[in-house]
């Protein structure tokens, strides 16, 4: 793609970042084209672009500075725009590429947009669940001998914990976040709070609670100083969520996160 700095919007100047950005814009538009043959060919283009993006973001295959610039460009588009697209194929390609970037990129490349990335992934956890499980759980009865509400909740959480999104979140919280700066870790707190308050599903709330637990245990200093106000809001969100959660499994994870965050706060 040539040289140049990363791009974070459509107004970026000429360079490799702007060209990578426009490749993604064009591919997503083609995936949403009204003509079937165009969409089919765009599928092949999307797979090739995903492979190119992952190769550019892998610091082991080239200059680290170039890989970091490519990573910031790709995540700026994919997290900020790609995941929000109404076209299912384009949104799915964006999510698949994000998970691949998380897998190959180094922590320094992910640090700049890390809070936004974590918030988006948490929101996506429930979206990866089969809709039938939610339908069954809402209509189940705890008095039944078979698939009760509590049993279905455990099944849902087990399935979501093995999804690619949850695996990526686990890697970020265990291997990436501890290597970032304290201000970056502190910026995670309001995004975790917002994810808890806006989560549309049990799995997303449980994922947000797990991320809060991991942050509090690995970096209690993130909750000190200027982050205290955000930490108090997160504590309130965890308490409210635990109080309202019907299922014992997800409620237990919220309570555990509440205790971990409370212990980390000054």
């Amino acid at each position: 793609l040539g040289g140049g700095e990363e791009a974070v919007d459509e107004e970026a100047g000429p360079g490799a970042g702007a060209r990578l950005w426009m490749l993604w814009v064009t591919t997503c538009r083609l995936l949403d084209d009204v003509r079937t043959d165009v969409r089919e060919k765009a599928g092949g283009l999307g797979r090739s672009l995903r492979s190119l993006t992952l190769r550019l973001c892998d610091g082991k295959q080239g200059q680290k500075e170039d890989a970091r610039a490519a990573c910031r460009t790709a995540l700026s588009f994919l997290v900020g725009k790609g995941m929000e697209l109404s076209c299912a194929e384009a949104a799915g390609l964006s999510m698949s590429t994000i998970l691949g970037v998380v897998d190959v990129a180094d922590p320094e490349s992910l640090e700049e947009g890390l809070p936004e990335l974590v918030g988006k992934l948490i929101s996506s956890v429930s979206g990866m669940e089969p809709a039938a499980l939610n339908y069954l759980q809402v209509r189940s009865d705890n008095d039944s001998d078979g698939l009760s509400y509590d049993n279905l909740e455990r099944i849902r959480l087990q399935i979501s914990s093995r999804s690619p999104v949850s695996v990526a979140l686990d890697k970020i919280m265990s291997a990436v976040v501890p290597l970032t700066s304290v201000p970056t870790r502190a910026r995670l707190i309001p995004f975790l709070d917002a994810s808890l308050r806006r989560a549309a599903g049990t799995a997303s709330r449980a994922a947000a609670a797990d991320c809060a637990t991991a942050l509090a245990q690995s970096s209690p200093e993130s909750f000190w100083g200027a982050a205290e106000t955000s930490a108090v809001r997160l504590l309130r969100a965890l308490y409210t969520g635990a109080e309202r959660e019907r299922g014992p499994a997800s409620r237990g994870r919220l309570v555990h996160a509440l205790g971990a965050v409370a212990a980390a706060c000054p």
Side-chain angles (χ1 to χ4, degrees):
L1 291 178
E5 298 181 351
E6 69 269 16
V8 294
D9 54 39
E10 295 90 341
E11 306 300 325
R19 287 188 284 273
L20 181 61
W21 183 285
M22 287 309 302
L23 278 172
W24 273 105
V25 170
T26 303
T27 301
C28 289
R29 287 176 181 171
L30 292 174
L31 285 169
D32 199 24
D33 197 275
V34 295
R35 292 164 291 183
T36 303
D37 59 332
V38 173
R39 293 198 302 272
E40 290 175 351
K41 293 177 181 178
L45 174 61
R47 290 189 291 273
S48 298
L49 181 56
R50 180 184 184 276
S51 298
L52 171 64
T53 301
L54 297 186
R55 191 161 61 250
L56 291 172
C57 293
D58 189 352
K60 299 176 183 177
Q61 299 190 24
Q63 295 292 330
K64 285 192 174 182
E65 287 303 319
D66 292 339
R68 290 171 185 172
C71 184
R72 288 191 288 267
T73 297
L75 291 179
S76 293
F77 176 83
L78 297 170
V79 175
K81 297 184 179 297
M83 290 180 64
E84 304 295 332
L85 295 172
S86 57
C87 173
E89 290 80 5
L93 176 63
S94 299
M95 174 59 76
S96 174
T97 307
I98 288 171
L99 299 181
V101 170
V102 170
D103 193 45
V104 302
D106 57 52
E108 292 83 359
S109 300
L110 298 172
E111 181 169 357
E112 185 173 331
L114 189 62
E116 294 85 353
L117 174 60
V118 170
K120 291 283 187 179
L121 290 178
I122 290 173
S123 300
S124 302
V125 171
S126 289
M128 304 293 287
E129 287 186 297
L133 286 178
N134 182 57
Y135 179 88
L136 288 172
Q137 184 177 356
V138 170
R139 287 157 180 78
S140 62
D141 186 353
N142 268 334
D143 295 330
S144 63
D145 296 329
L147 291 176
S148 66
Y149 184 95
D150 294 349
N151 289 334
L152 279 168
E153 182 201 31
R154 293 190 193 94
I155 293 172
R156 290 178 66 185
L157 292 179
Q158 287 174 0
I159 292 174
S160 68
S161 66
R162 298 190 182 101
S163 71
V165 177
S166 294
V167 171
L169 275 172
D170 289 342
K171 178 182 178 181
I172 289 172
M173 298 307 299
S174 62
V176 177
V177 170
L179 299 179
T180 60
S181 63
V182 173
T184 298
R185 284 175 256 164
R187 284 176 52 222
L188 274 168
I189 299 173
F191 282 89
L192 295 176
D193 171 48
S195 297
L196 269 170
R197 296 176 187 274
R198 299 172 186 169
T202 299
S204 287
R205 289 191 291 273
D210 290 343
C211 289
T213 300
L215 180 63
Q217 293 178 342
S218 66
S219 180
E221 65 273 13
S222 304
F223 295 83
W224 304 347
E228 289 183 19
T229 302
S230 299
V232 170
R233 284 183 54 84
L234 178 58
L235 281 170
R236 290 173 179 167
L238 288 167
Y239 176 81
T240 302
E243 190 176 38
R244 296 177 179 176
E245 196 67 49
R246 177 181 171 186
S250 53
R251 184 170 61 246
R253 286 159 78 166
L254 287 163
V255 170
H256 182 59
L258 178 63
V261 172
C265 290

